[in-house]
Amino acid sequence: MQNETSLIEFSPEKDPFRNSRKKSSRRWILAHIFHDTNKIFIFIVLFTTILTANLATIIFVFIGNAITAILNLNIPIFMNIFIIIIILSFTNPGMRLANFMLREVIAQRMERDTRKEFFINLLGKSQSFHDQQKIGELMARATDDVRTLNYFISPAVSLILESFTDLVVPVIYIAIFYPVQLIIEPIIFVILFLIALRSYINKIGPISFDLRMNFGLMDATLNESLTGIEVVKGTAQEDREIRKYLYNIQKYKDAFVKQGIVQAKYLPILLLALIITIAFGHSVLLFYLGLMNIGQIIAYLGILNLLYFPTNISIFVFAIIRLAGASAKRILEYMNMETKIDENINGVIKKIQGQILFENVSFKYPNSKNFVLKNLNFEIQPGKTVAIVGTTGAGKTTLTKLITRLYDVSEGRILIDGIDVRDYALKSLRSQISFIEQDVFLFSSSIFDNITFGRIGSLDEVIEVAKQAQAHEFISELPDEYYSEIGERGVQLSGGERQRIAIARAFLSDPPVLILDDSTSAIDSKTEDQIQFAIRNILRNRTTFLITHRLSQIRWADLILVLQNGELIAMGTHEDLLCNSEEYRKIFIKKFDLEEQKLIKGGLEECLSD
Amino acid sequence: MFIGLEAEEYDRVYSTSTLIRRIFSYFSPYKKQMILVITFLIISSLTSAIEPVIISIAINMVISSVDFTIIIFLIIIIFILTGSSWIFNYIRQKYSARVIGSVIYDIRKNAQNSVLNLDLSFFDKNPTGKIVSRINTDSNDFGDTVDLSIQVISSVVVLIILIIIVSLVNFILTLILLSAIPLFFLGTLLFTKFARKMTLLGQRALASVNSIIKESFSGIQIAKTFRQESKLYEKFNKVNKQAYSVNLRRAFTLNAIFPSLNLIQGVVLILLLYFGGNYVITGAINIGEFNLFIQSLNLIFFPLLTIASFWPQFQSGLSASERIFALIDTQPVVVQKNDIKSGKLKGKVEIQNLIFQYDKNKNVFENFSLKIEPGESVAIVGHTGAGKSSLAKLLARFYEYQGGEILIDGTSIRDYNLKEYRRQIGLISQTPFLWADTVENNIKYSNESASRDDVKQALEVSGGYEWIENLPEGLDTDVRERGNLLSMGQRQLVVFARVLLENPSILILDEATASIDPFTETKIQDALEKTIENRTSIIIAHRLWTVRHVDRIVVLDHGTIVEEGDHDELMKLGGYYANLYTVYFRHQSLQYIEDMGKSKV
């Protein structure tokens, strides 16, 4: 029974963006922009943007009038206008400041809220989802992409708004205060500007991309050469690495020069300058026709010069907008993913004893053609230990993932205590199966917190389990003992030590089924003893799947599964395998220089005849 | 020459004049282009500075009702000047992109070349990431600074010309105009300082957020198993809110710059209007000149901004170049005295009274001597810090020794041609490094001319070929960064195959300590057996099997040989080696494995 539901496992508060997420990235961004109190801010931002454009333009109109007053030697009027200009000159910067501040609030909120939304959403997704993700990708969404959305608001969209008003408002003022025909020049400029801008963006886009890509290659190549410097020197291949790098920096240089040339060809500035010149001529003509005075000409020129700002700014803005669109899509892609494992709330809830049966189990990943596990059949009784051995990629870890339903089997079934795992309530199933992974993850809090993460315990209980996990000794030697902080700013622990803390945690939570992926190795016997004892202690009284390379663990497991390419090529106890598997025999023969005769009691022939 | 000292402190301080001279030397191959750049720069600045003057003349003519055709003539001149200014600027930018691009190329080439020739101690002390950042990113910053410098020169020229022109018209008004300059600089400098501090705080806040997110996603499985999602959320919410307020404050600060500069502009405008207006009324200046001052105020805005933000950028550009030059100037410690071509070596190793210090005051080898015959296999054992890996690295000539001699086939390793010598040595390190390339190319790394069959043969001999067939694309499988696609054991097998293909006279092997699955381990044992056959081999041994199968074991303690012999002899002695065995090898024995099970209930 596979219902595809996207049950949310964690939801701390109301989610105002649920619907917009499903619709489109545009809608979603808009939902954030207009969220809550932002609406007021947006209104103020729009208002102040238009206002500042007006103020900047009107100052010139007044300057024109001031000049006229001067020429007419009209001092009182000049003084009046002068005072107005003073007021405007102080008001404008104030308005702009308010405008900038408010748009920043919207932008920073965008980043904060999208990050929070993403985090909550992902936290609520099931384990199956997370197991399929690369942390690096998730991080990039939560850091770089939300940052891009921030920049989208400020500076990108705000600058576009500003540029727009800075283009439109002056034209309107020209039409109002001066002969209407004078708007021809600025309008022609705006049209030509937009055409030139579009063409520029289309040219520079691929070139900038090229440049970034080449830089990335340069970085990767150099990084690799230096990381492998021992090999480079050992094989005397310095020249080869130099050649690789020269190739990369040449490509970078070519892209760099290309970009410089395209940037140099940016036309709008030229267009504006030429148009202003023509406009000057036009206004002079009008003067000679008696339709304008000198003050107005000067004001007119001043207003046209305001157009330089949007012309200069526009180059930077469009790149950000394109990036923002891509970022939004990526973030939404993750948030809208649904996992296909049914939580089965109404399923079986019972205390697991630990009998596990794999019946004709085959598995392939959802979007893949090849079977990773083929026709596995085995049974394990409660409390026994299964050692899973094989080379990398044989399917060892995948096998264990099926038990906790991180993925469901493609064929066959898995029974725990006689009940199909799919019939259990997922929470009940998962809370009774613990997993100690290869690279043990510990939270950056105290050792005590890490050990009691799943079950509250007193310090005495924690010390007790730590002793069983052979961790008490090294913990006691730390400055703050059990309260030592782990992590970047805390104590650094070795792989073996982390493993033993995870084992202590498992002791405390005491699951009936344990999956232990052991990849630690010890250089010295003392550490090896500790790891061995810790593992052997945790194996007791629970069904354990042990993925290990340690011959001692394998030798004494109740059942050994040998996997190769997803197939069970041998199965049984150590003695069974010595009989049946030549490769297994070879391990012991080779490693300990044993003779076949001595290895198998009674000899190989007797064994085969059983 | 103590390696430790030099490597750690390779950064040096250059005087500003030395730096600038050095920077200029990188530009001298491009003298012609630079001259073009400077010339066009000046011309284009001149033309843009003259435009407002002509407009002001035109305005005066308009007032005096001069003939319209003359005005048109002036306008045409302005038109042409504008057009040419743009063209000159285009040419200037094109050539400066070329020159800067070439200079950055040269700097990177020199830096990488220099770095690759340094000895290993340098790489021990300096993380790869920082070196890469210096060579790639710092050179970019340097390029940006040069570009900015050129723009600044242009701005300065424009500014100077404008100021000269207006000062000829009216002194007081010029003073008023000039008052904007120091105010601008002060404002920008203050802001830059404050902004940098805020940016740092912002980065730190963001780093906290990122680490919480990373941790949460990494530990999600555990959190879910124990249903502790809300704990993670609380932590996250706190730092997310913090980052919000810090970044908001930072953004406020940065955004206050432009309005402040506008304010300064506004104040100067008011003063200009007041005094200028008065001068027009009294007839001291005419309207055209008045307009010139008003226009100049706008024209100096962007150049002033460029110049004001120049200083900090210039400083950072200088630091960037300083860092790169320090890298280029670092001398390798390992220097050959001669250039003898080694040819195929027999593999006779003689170490005589070796003295080696890695860090000052810490002798690794004090009076160390060892002789190894061609084809002999020797295992080196000892506690950590005994000098095992140093010995291997000295033989590979990765470090320089301070006294004594290391002779291979009778010649000091200082006298050989280094590249040829190294080709005679096969080096397998503890953690094998593979290139992000196919299995085949990795094996052929030092033998580009080898055939696919050679590769298969090498694999066959070193543990077998079948495991390759289980890879998605066999020999053509891309093993990804550092060989991540393969297990540790598999990477070892690939490296064995590569070394076999190289067919070196001397093998130096630092055995892996990581856990390898028993099947692959068996293959590695096969590979090792084949590789040390008839080849001088020096093995830093961690496997019990190895010490039992070499010709001789050398036991090191603090740089001295304390015992020598084969495994059985040394065990009988019951001395240092026997003790070492108990600590490092006993748990690999069959006895241990059997004993382990007996206590299992």
Side-chain angles (χ1 to χ4, degrees), chain A residues 9-10 13 67 70-71 75 82 85 93 96 100-101 104 108-109 112 115-116 119-120 122-123 125 127 130 135 139 143 147 215 218-219 222-224 226-230 232-238 240-242 245-246 249-250 252-253 256 264-266 270 273 278 281 284-285 287-288 294 298 390-392 441 444 453-454 505 519 521-525 528-529 536 549 551 555-556 562 565 583 586-587 590 592-593, chain B residues 62-63 66 68 75 79 82 86 90 93 97 102 105 108-109 112 116 118 128 132 135-136 140 206 209-210 214-222 224 226 228-229 233 236-237 240 244 247-248 251-252 255 259 262 270 273-274 277 280-281 287 290-291 393 398 419 422 429 433 435-436 445-446 448 470 482 487 502 513-520 525-526 529 545 549 582-584 587-588 590 592-594 597 599-600:
Chain A
E9 293 182 12
F10 174 69
E13 50 192 53
I67 291 177
I70 292 171
L71 285 175
I75 314 262
F82 184 64
I85 291 181
R96 295 192 81 194
F100 288 171
M101 303 275 195
E104 273 304 328
Q108 295 295 338
R109 279 185 182 183
R112 176 196 69 183
R115 188 182 288 127
K116 180 166 111 174
F119 187 78
I120 293 178
L122 251 61
L123 220 57
K125 294 239 191 294
Q127 206 171 316
H130 280 280
I135 302 237
M139 291 298 297
T143 57
R147 206 7 100 85
F215 186 82
M218 240 171 60
D219 243 13
L222 189 58
N223 214 317
E224 206 187 25
L226 297 185
T227 311
I229 192 73
E230 257 192 54
V232 175
K233 285 187 169 301
T235 51
Q237 294 291 319
E238 287 96 332
R240 186 172 161 153
E241 296 303 309
I242 291 178
Y245 186 64
L246 285 184
I249 60 176
Q250 179 65 44
Y252 181 83
K253 174 179 154 189
F256 180 80
K265 283 198 193 137
Y266 187 63
L270 175 67
I278 295 174
V284 168
L285 180 63
F287 176 84
Y288 277 98
I294 275 292
I298 292 176
T391 57
T392 308
F441 177 81
S444 59
F453 194 71
R505 183 170 63 203
S519 67
S521 64
I523 301 189
D524 63 273
S525 303
E528 178 70 19
D529 279 346
R536 278 189 314 124
H549 303 319
L551 284 181
R555 167 83 176 82
W556 298 105
V562 182
N565 274 2
E583 270 201 51
K586 187 172 178 193
I587 295 174
K590 186 91 196 183
F592 305 114
D593 298 307
Chain B
V62 165
I63 292 190
V66 168
F68 187 57
I75 288 178
F79 206 80
T82 309
W86 189 89
Y90 165 76
Q93 271 190 272
S102 302
Y105 176 92
R108 285 180 176 154
K109 180 169 118 178
Q112 192 232 18
L116 278 185
L118 293 175
T128 306
V132 171
I135 300 178
N136 288 342
N140 255 0
L206 201 60
V209 176
N210 289 347
K214 182 166 181 194
E215 186 181 86
S216 302
F217 289 157
S218 303
I220 193 91
Q221 194 170 323
I222 302 176
K224 281 194 177 293
F226 296 121
Q228 296 286 0
E229 291 100 326
Y233 174 62
F236 166 81
N237 215 10
N240 196 28
Y244 167 73
N247 276 305
L248 196 59
F252 279 175
N255 273 303
N262 280 142
I270 292 169
L273 275 179
Y274 185 75
V280 172
I281 292 176
I287 276 292
F290 181 64
N291 179 55
K393 296 205 167 129
F398 282 162
K419 290 217 166 112
R422 287 216 176 112
S429 55
F433 177 87
W435 303 100
Y445 182 66
S446 42
E448 278 178 285
N470 291 332
R482 290 167 172 259
S487 71
E502 282 164 25
T513 50
S515 180
I516 300 178
D517 76 83
F519 299 101
T520 312
Q525 279 163 323
D526 279 339
E529 215 171 8
W545 184 91
H549 284 84
T582 316
V583 176
Y584 295 110
H587 62 274
Q588 297 179 38
L590 184 58
Y592 184 88
I593 293 174
E594 293 289 325
S599 32
K600 184 183 196 224

Side-chain angles (χ1 to χ4, degrees), chain A residues 111-314:
Chain A
E111 182 176 335
R112 176 196 69 183
D113 293 341
T114 46
R115 188 182 288 127
K116 180 166 111 174
E117 185 189 344
F118 184 73
F119 187 78
I120 293 178
N121 181 293
L122 251 61
L123 220 57
K125 294 239 191 294
S126 64
Q127 206 171 316
S128 322
F129 167 84
H130 280 280
D131 190 62
Q132 300 175 38
Q133 302 313 322
K134 288 207 182 91
I135 302 237
E137 291 293 314
L138 296 182
M139 291 298 297
R141 303 304 147 252
T143 57
D144 302 329
D145 285 330
V146 298
R147 206 7 100 85
T148 311
L149 291 179
N150 178 332
Y151 291 153
F152 174 71
I153 307 288
S154 166
V157 168
S158 338
L159 283 180
I160 291 183
L161 258 162
E162 238 180 281
S163 303
F164 182 71
T165 48
D166 283 348
L167 285 174
V168 168
V169 169
V171 173
I172 295 177
Y173 272 75
I174 292 172
I176 296 176
F177 288 96
Y178 309 117
V180 178
Q181 52 180 283
L182 286 175
I183 65 171
I184 296 177
E185 280 91 357
I187 288 183
I188 292 181
F189 167 69
V190 172
I191 296 174
L192 291 176
F193 167 60
L194 290 173
I195 296 177
L197 185 65
R198 194 205 174 108
S199 144
Y200 176 79
I201 291 171
N202 287 339
K203 280 208 200 97
I204 200 94
I207 293 181
S208 297
F209 177 77
D210 228 15
L211 194 65
R212 273 199 305 275
M213 200 191 62
N214 277 312
F215 186 82
L217 282 173
M218 240 171 60
D219 243 13
T221 310
L222 189 58
N223 214 317
E224 206 187 25
S225 301
L226 297 185
T227 311
I229 192 73
E230 257 192 54
V231 175
V232 175
K233 285 187 169 301
T235 51
Q237 294 291 319
E238 287 96 332
D239 286 336
R240 186 172 161 153
E241 296 303 309
I242 291 178
R243 259 183 288 138
K244 267 194 213 167
Y245 186 64
L246 285 184
Y247 176 76
N248 280 321
I249 60 176
Q250 179 65 44
K251 297 221 87 162
Y252 181 83
K253 174 179 154 189
D254 294 338
F256 180 80
V257 172
K258 241 189 184 173
Q259 187 188 57
I261 294 180
V262 171
Q263 281 172 336
K265 283 198 193 137
Y266 187 63
L267 275 177
I269 302 275
L270 175 67
L271 286 173
L272 186 57
L274 293 177
I275 297 242
I276 291 183
T277 313
I278 295 174
F280 179 56
H282 190 170
S283 61
V284 168
L285 180 63
L286 291 181
F287 176 84
Y288 277 98
L289 291 176
L291 292 169
M292 274 185 99
N293 64 43
I294 275 292
Q296 289 175 320
I297 294 182
I298 292 176
Y300 177 60
L301 281 181
I303 295 176
L304 286 177
N305 272 299
L306 285 175
L307 297 174
Y308 270 110
F309 176 75
T311 314
N312 279 319
I313 290 298
S314 34

Side-chain angles (χ1 to χ4, degrees), chain A residues 590-591 593, chain B residues 377-381 496 509 511-512 521 524-525 528-529 532 537-553 567 577 585 588:
Chain A
K590 186 91 196 183
K591 190 155 174 144
D593 298 307
Chain B
S377 57
V378 174
I380 317 262
V381 299
F496 266 111
L509 166 63
E511 283 197 311
E521 174 97 35
I524 292 178
Q525 279 163 323
L528 182 58
E529 215 171 8
I532 65 179
S537 309
I538 299 155
I539 307 171
I540 299 170
H542 291 114
R543 288 198 198 93
L544 180 54
W545 184 91
T546 310
V547 292
R548 298 184 56 200
H549 284 84
V550 292
D551 295 326
R552 177 165 42 128
I553 302 173
H567 174 78
Y577 178 80
F585 297 108
Q588 297 179 38

Side-chain angles (χ1 to χ4, degrees), chain A residues 565, chain B residues 439 466-475 477 479 485-486 490:
Chain A
N565 274 2
Chain B
V439 175
E466 314 84 41
W467 70 272
I468 300 277
E469 277 156 4
N470 291 332
L471 297 175
E473 272 131 60
L475 277 179
T477 311
V479 295
L485 189 71
L486 306 177
Q490 288 170 329

